[in-house]
Amino acid sequence: EITNASHLPEPSTGLVGRAAELESICARLAESPGRLLTLTGPPGVGKTRLALAAAGRLRSLYRDGAWFVSLAAIDDVELVASAITASLGLATATTRPPALRLVEELRRKELLLVLDNVEQVTDCAPFLAELLQSCPGLRILATSTAPLRLRAEQRYRVPPLALAPSVDLFLHHAHAVDPDFMLTPERAGAVAEICLHLDGLPLAIELAAARMDILDPHTMLERIRERRLAVLADGSSDLPAHQRSLRTAIERSYGLLNHDEQRLFRALGVLVGGWRMDAVVALGSDEQMLRSLLNKSLVHRAPVDRDEQRFQMLPILCEFALEKLVAAGEEISVRRQHAHFYLAFAVCASEANAAGSQELWLDRLEHEHDNLRAAMRWLIAHDPPSAQRLGGALREFWYTRGHFLEGRRLLQQALAASAAPTVARGHALLAAARFAHAQDEYPLALRLIDESLSILRQSDDRAGCAEALRTGGWIVHSMGESSRAMAMFEEALALSQSLDDLGLIADLHISIAQVHVLDGDSVRFDEARQAFESGLRLATQLGRQESAAYALFGLASLAYMSGDNLAAIHFGEDALGIFQALGSRRNQPLALLLIGEAEMLLGELDAAQAHAQAALAIYVDLAIPWGEASAQRVIGQIERMAGNLGQAHLSLNRSLDLSWRIRDDRGTSIDLAEIAGMALAQSQPERAGMLLGAAFKQFDSPPNFLAPDHRQTYTQLAADVRIALGEAQFAQIWEAGQALSLEDAVRLAGVSP
């Protein structure tokens, strides 16, 4: 007979950060279908602790209490019934089989049976099903890395702890070994990062915190970054043997896998940040093996996006898997499979992106970016030509999503690893040139594009040449060489027409029209409008969303340069919507700033400030000096119009400093004119005249590249300075200003060149 009311081990520590999970488990056990509830999850996630807490809360609801049975030491299905009878205190001196003895004893009882660590003996599931069917008052709460796969089974996946409860749990165990341990501001960041590196696994957090009597958090963090599993050892002696180190806990789960499951588990260690099913196939396995690891809690489903199923493995498990991969002598072959699969994926994505469905493929590449990084690094070290090919294939993705610094660094490494003049190198140089141009390094960008063009021409890659010429055209335009830019665009257009590449033809027509607008060539504005509209139609037909957005942005620029600010806002917002849908961080601030400038000229200063600040934040994040200078200039103009002269000075001086440093003479001259207006407003007409004279030396007259409102503003400013100084003094001051070098004018404006 069962003589005790219940038998549950008393936990040595409180349950931290699991209130919601505990409520859910208790509710599901109390429901009528909840006669068998299995808590699943990876090793160390705290399944046993939660099961004990739930059983402790609910035991009074069962007439015969709650009983705990550890199966951690049982590896024979035939011994499960004996282990349960022994834990229940039933007499064993009988000839009846333990299973029959259990049924006889439990069929009239009402109790909760907690079966811990069932994963070693999941084949006992039929016996448990028979036990539940024969004993209507019995409920079972099981813990296992794998489900029992019974019809009566409900499952609850125990998640890792979120950051806040992870930190609470760390502090709880740190105080146990060092009562004086305090979470100071200096320690808080390190403790939080420790918990993140430990994937929110309670066992890992407990093992780390237990060493706070000899280590400080910063030292612990450094060691965990190097090798987590080596640090997380030597747990409390009253823990079960398989929980005294995280490695032992994971090793136990790994040992329960069959040969094929172990091989896939090892291979998955090279995947970073999640993967799709096709990556598993590329590594030589199949859906069945992956599902098996999923059922055994070594893999979990990632959040679904766009109906694409993705999978992940906790980084701690990845570290263990990589150790096993190296030990098995499989690392090189598996990493080669991984790298070449993601190279093929990137090439396919690049081709699909060019043909349409840009948003879909950009998102897919973003999801796989960690794997693409890992593939790129491996190829740089082992197969540089393939690394250059991968870098070229990722050009549009890196550019659109604003991964300039990372893309440039990886491309530089790939280009340095092999100088062979292959087509792959030509495209990698083209990508590197585009990123250098995006970050205002024009001479470097031009050198890279020249080498790219040389290789691509020798290789007779006409499509590549057309792309390189288009990029080169924008580089030389940024250097102030508009006629050279137009010549490169025209050559690229001829090549794209010979190839019947409609997408590139549309892009080049848009580029040529945009040059007319940027240069203020009003004679060509009607021609530019037609080019933008036809480019928009063609891009829409081809599904080239980014090209359509460029055409809309071109129409916005044209409206702005024509003085139609309402139309500029309308077209700018349409372009911005597409750029945002594509996640195009490089192009979003272009539209944001144009909208802000148009709003400013309409007197809508609050809206203009919001758009300009949003543009500035992106430009700063992407490290684009030209963009940051442009945004600061607009913000300064807005602040001046709002009467905030002090803030206007700060923004305009920052713009001038940046424009001068990148040798943007146009931007520098506009900033000088703006600061001249500020000087006049502060009753400094002589300084205003000098600065304005220096600015107009670059302008020659209010230039065509300025919008009509700004041309009028600077013309009026010159007239106001003339009135303030008088005709004779104005002529003298103006001549002195025009005699200044641009460097001296910048210094006079208050910026140290």
Side-chain angles (χ1 to χ4, degrees):
E1 286 287 328
I2 300 173
T3 55
N4 297 331
S6 64
H7 185 274
L8 295 175
E10 285 299 323
S12 57
T13 60
L15 188 66
V16 177
R18 290 297 198 186
E21 290 90 338
L22 184 58
E23 289 294 333
S24 181
I25 291 167
C26 290
R28 293 184 68 176
L29 275 171
E31 294 171 355
S32 54
R35 294 193 60 211
L36 169 60
L37 177 62
T38 305
L39 307 186
T40 64
V45 81
K47 301 181 292 292
T48 300
R49 188 68 189 81
L50 259 176
L52 284 171
R57 178 179 290 191
L58 296 176
R59 59 184 163 190
S60 62
L61 301 180
Y62 302 99
R63 186 184 65 208
D64 298 295
W67 296 76
F68 180 83
V69 180
S70 174
L71 299 178
I74 305 298
D75 56 9
D76 186 343
V77 173
E78 300 299 323
L79 298 179
V80 171
S82 299
I84 297 174
T85 57
S87 295
L88 293 175
L90 299 177
T92 56
T94 174
T95 58
R96 281 174 295 176
L100 181 59
R101 179 81 176 91
L102 270 177
V103 170
E104 290 176 349
E105 182 65 32
L106 297 180
R107 68 170 34 143
R108 294 181 300 276
K109 302 292 185 182
E110 292 182 7
L111 58 79
L112 173 65
L113 192 61
V114 180
L115 300 181
D116 190 41
N117 292 118
V118 184
E119 59 268 9
Q120 295 191 126
V121 284
T122 52
D123 288 345
C124 75
F127 162 65
L128 297 180
E130 180 184 348
L131 200 60
L132 286 167
Q133 185 175 5
S134 302
C135 307
L138 175 66
R139 288 179 185 255
I140 296 176
L141 176 60
T143 73
S144 176
T145 56
L148 295 170
R149 307 183 70 80
L150 293 172
R151 286 182 298 170
E153 181 184 36
Q154 294 187 89
R155 301 173 192 172
Y156 183 90
R157 186 179 183 278
V158 178
L161 287 170
L163 179 58
S166 292
V167 172
D168 290 342
L169 183 64
F170 185 97
L171 294 177
H172 178 85
H173 287 290
H175 287 149
V177 297
D178 180 4
D180 297 326
F181 184 88
M182 299 292 291
L183 190 65
T184 62
E186 293 75 20
R187 288 174 167 175
V191 169
E193 198 169 344
I194 287 170
C195 294
L196 289 173
H197 275 282
L198 299 181
D199 301 327
L201 293 178
L203 175 58
I205 292 168
E206 177 181 347
L207 293 170
R211 306 189 70 177
M212 286 300 98
D213 57 341
I214 57 173
L215 294 177
D216 65 89
H218 293 283
T219 303
M220 169 64 74
L221 177 58
E222 289 175 8
R223 295 189 180 184
I224 285 175
R225 282 172 175 162
E226 292 172 2
R227 287 191 67 191
R228 280 171 284 210
L229 292 172
V231 175
L232 305 175
D234 303 324
S236 301
S237 59
D238 59 342
L239 285 170
H242 66 276
Q243 292 183 351
R244 291 177 192 168
S245 81
L246 191 60
R247 182 188 299 281
T248 304
I250 299 172
E251 186 81 57
R252 181 173 178 271
S253 293
Y254 177 75
L256 296 175
L257 304 177
N258 64 36
H259 173 77
D260 290 336
E261 291 168 341
Q262 288 184 345
R263 186 174 62 83
L264 175 58
F265 176 79
R266 294 192 298 269
L268 292 179
V270 304
L271 292 162
V272 191
W275 64 87
R276 299 191 312 169
M277 187 64 226
D278 51 0
V280 175
V281 174
L283 293 177
S285 193
D286 57 28
E287 182 179 342
Q288 180 181 351
M289 286 299 104
L290 181 64
R291 181 179 291 113
S292 180
L293 295 184
L294 187 70
N295 287 335
K296 293 174 181 179
S297 301
L298 295 174
V299 167
H300 62 273
R301 289 184 178 87
V304 176
D305 186 80
R306 290 186 178 275
D307 300 323
E308 288 187 356
Q309 184 63 67
R310 290 178 60 78
F311 305 90
Q312 290 178 323
M313 194 155 66
L314 292 175
I316 283 179
L317 296 179
C318 284
E319 183 178 315
F320 180 86
L322 283 173
E323 287 185 4
K324 291 294 184 182
L325 188 71
V326 172
E330 300 166 346
E331 184 184 19
I332 292 177
S333 62
V334 170
R335 287 200 182 278
R336 181 181 296 109
Q337 288 175 308
H338 172 270
H340 285 281
F341 169 74
Y342 280 102
L343 169 59
F345 175 81
V347 170
C348 179
S350 176
E351 293 169 353
N353 182 54
S357 304
Q358 286 177 287
E359 186 178 354
L360 171 63
W361 280 102
L362 288 170
D363 285 346
R364 285 182 176 176
L365 287 165
E366 195 73 67
H367 287 148
E368 299 293 358
H369 201 184
D370 287 335
N371 281 307
L372 292 164
R373 291 184 181 105
M376 187 75 174
R377 287 192 291 267
W378 192 88
L379 290 171
I380 287 169
H382 298 87
D383 187 356
S386 292
Q388 292 172 2
R389 189 177 178 216
L390 177 55
L394 291 174
R395 180 186 72 228
E396 290 300 325
F397 163 66
W398 277 337
Y399 184 84
T400 300
R401 291 293 169 92
H403 300 295
F404 299 156
L405 292 174
E406 180 177 16
R408 290 186 69 182
R409 183 177 67 252
L410 290 173
L411 282 164
Q412 183 179 13
Q413 293 170 5
L415 290 167
S418 172
T422 61
V423 172
R425 179 175 178 83
H427 283 276
L429 287 162
L430 167 56
R434 195 168 184 187
F435 298 141
H437 174 236
Q439 295 186 300
D440 305 332
E441 297 183 30
Y442 306 143
L444 171 61
L446 189 56
R447 289 196 299 273
L448 291 167
I449 209 66
D450 284 344
E451 184 182 350
S452 171
L453 274 168
S454 175
I455 292 173
L456 295 174
R457 280 181 170 138
Q458 290 174 11
S459 305
D460 196 28
D461 182 353
R462 291 186 292 164
C465 282
E467 284 284 2
L469 284 164
R470 178 169 172 251
T471 297
W474 281 117
I475 293 169
V476 296
H477 184 269
S478 298
M479 299 172 75
E481 301 181 40
S482 290
S483 18
R484 185 180 174 191
M486 291 298 287
M488 296 180 82
F489 288 147
E490 293 290 352
E491 184 183 352
L493 180 60
L495 280 171
S496 62
Q497 288 171 335
S498 71
L499 295 167
D500 199 26
D501 187 334
L502 297 180
L504 189 52
I505 289 170
D507 287 345
L508 283 160
H509 278 304
I510 292 168
S511 294
I512 291 169
Q514 188 73 331
V515 169
H516 294 324
V517 173
L518 291 174
D519 289 349
D521 188 357
S522 57
V523 175
R524 311 292 290 272
F525 276 8
D526 285 341
E527 179 186 331
R529 179 178 292 103
Q530 293 173 14
F532 288 138
E533 290 172 349
S534 62
L536 176 60
R537 285 193 298 271
L538 184 54
T540 303
Q541 291 169 8
L542 297 173
R544 292 172 65 93
Q545 296 159 279
E546 189 171 47
S547 298
Y550 281 135
L552 287 164
F553 179 73
L555 288 168
S557 302
L558 181 59
Y560 175 74
M561 292 297 293
S562 302
D564 189 349
N565 292 307
L566 286 174
I569 292 171
H570 168 72
F571 287 122
E573 288 176 341
D574 287 347
L576 178 61
I578 298 176
F579 288 142
Q580 288 175 331
L582 293 174
S584 180
R585 300 191 68 228
R586 171 62 179 87
N587 292 319
Q588 286 176 44
L590 288 173
L592 285 164
L593 205 54
L594 181 60
I595 294 167
E597 288 187 85
E599 289 168 335
M600 175 185 69
L601 295 174
L602 289 171
E604 300 173 8
L605 299 187
D606 289 343
Q609 181 73 276
H611 282 110
Q613 290 287 355
L616 176 62
I618 298 174
Y619 279 133
V620 170
D621 188 50
L622 296 182
I624 300 177
W626 171 87
E628 184 181 348
S630 299
Q632 291 281 15
R633 182 179 306 121
V634 174
I635 290 169
Q637 292 169 334
I638 294 168
E639 296 289 3
R640 173 178 55 76
M641 293 175 69
N644 303 323
L645 299 187
Q647 186 59 51
H649 259 303
L650 291 174
S651 295
L652 290 170
N653 282 354
R654 177 60 177 158
S655 177
L656 177 60
D657 180 54
L658 288 164
S659 296
W660 168 252
R661 290 183 188 283
I662 63 174
R663 297 301 185 264
D664 178 4
D665 290 350
R666 283 186 178 182
T668 299
S669 300
I670 296 171
D671 291 328
L672 290 173
E674 286 290 334
I675 294 171
M678 298 283 292
L680 183 62
Q682 295 172 318
S683 301
Q684 301 172 13
E686 294 88 353
R687 183 165 175 263
M690 291 276 283
L691 292 172
L692 200 57
F696 269 60
K697 178 184 177 183
Q698 302 300 317
F699 288 166
D700 190 32
S701 62
N704 290 333
F705 63 77
L706 290 174
D709 298 84
H710 288 308
R711 290 203 297 271
Q712 183 179 349
T713 295
Y714 298 139
T715 300
Q716 184 61 51
L717 177 59
D720 292 342
V721 172
R722 186 187 300 269
I723 293 170
L725 291 173
E727 193 66 43
Q729 190 179 8
F730 174 79
Q732 183 181 4
I733 292 291
W734 188 268
E735 184 178 353
Q738 294 224 314
L740 287 174
S741 67
L742 198 56
E743 180 176 348
D744 287 338
V746 169
R747 187 177 288 108
L748 177 63
V751 171
S752 177

